[in-house]
Amino acid sequence: PRIPAIYTALTAGSLAMDPRVYGEHTNTVVLKSMEVIELVLWNNSTMAHPMHLHGHTFQLYEYGCTDADHDECGSKDMAFKAGSSPMRRDTVSVGPFQYAVIRFKASNPGMWLMHCHIDTHHAQGMAMLFAEAPEVLQQTPDMPLSVRDQCLLQGAATSVNSTSND
């Protein structure tokens, strides 16, 4: 997109709650402030995917095999469900033919990337953006001038125009 997501959130007004305003191919999900998010990370391939979330530590709530017919996964008996104190992490490796269920609270307004830590997978699109609490972000002070200057040096806009975020 022409406009960095943080500036879209800060300048789009009520449109900041619409994921389309952040631009095509950004895989943006807008989160409401203090919302509890549960994600199922499903790996139906023969490679492990170390999935990393910026801006949060999440609870690893559940982990297991997607299909017992694959030797890479192991046994369906390996599945676990967290008790009252789930592990907190910012990265979880989801093995071949395995899944993980993670939870976090949208308590840190910002633009947070979740992506596979294998660079080629990230470059191929194994990433998404959480636009967290844009309505709260709009109540914060302006971005530092040094951030705005970096955007302008790279030809990036620092506000949303009336047509869209191309």
Side-chain angles (χ1 to χ4, degrees):
R2 290 183 312 102
I3 303 167
I6 189 71
Y7 280 112
T8 298
L10 289 170
T11 63
S14 62
L15 288 176
M17 296 303 288
D18 183 344
R20 296 174 296 180
V21 77
Y22 294 93
E24 265 188 82
H25 310 297
T26 61
N27 297 321
T28 300
V29 174
V30 178
L31 306 178
K32 295 177 187 165
S33 181
M34 304 310 284
E35 180 177 15
V36 174
I37 310 304
E38 181 173 288
L39 290 177
V40 178
L41 306 174
W42 191 270
N43 183 2
N44 205 25
S45 76
T46 58
M47 293 185 68
H49 297 286
M51 299 302 294
H52 176 67
L53 176 61
H54 292 254
H56 287 279
T57 57
F58 52 78
Q59 295 176 323
L60 180 56
Y61 182 71
E62 189 174 332
Y63 194 91
C65 291
T66 61
D67 186 344
D69 293 336
H70 291 282
D71 292 336
E72 295 92 339
C73 182
S75 164
K76 281 270 191 195
D77 296 333
M78 73 166 279
F80 91 95
K81 202 169 198 177
S84 60
S85 297
M87 290 185 283
R88 297 191 68 83
R89 301 283 185 264
D90 66 0
T91 304
V92 61
S93 185
V94 185
F97 302 101
Q98 294 178 0
Y99 72 94
V101 179
I102 64 171
R103 289 183 184 163
F104 66 96
K105 185 182 257 187
S107 59
N108 188 16
M111 302 293 113
W112 303 116
L113 187 65
M114 181 166 202
H115 62 95
C116 182
H117 247 282
I118 298 173
D119 288 341
T120 53
H121 294 179
H122 183 180
Q124 293 168 347
M126 201 170 196
M128 64 185 300
L129 178 68
F130 288 113
E132 184 174 331
E135 73 283 6
V136 174
L137 277 174
Q138 291 173 4
Q139 299 169 19
T140 61
D142 291 335
M143 294 291 286
L145 289 177
S146 60
V147 173
R148 189 207 59 186
D149 291 346
Q150 283 298 311
C151 290
L152 295 176
L153 282 171
Q154 296 175 45
T158 58
S159 66
V160 173
N161 61 35
S162 61
T163 57
S164 74
N165 186 2
D166 301 296

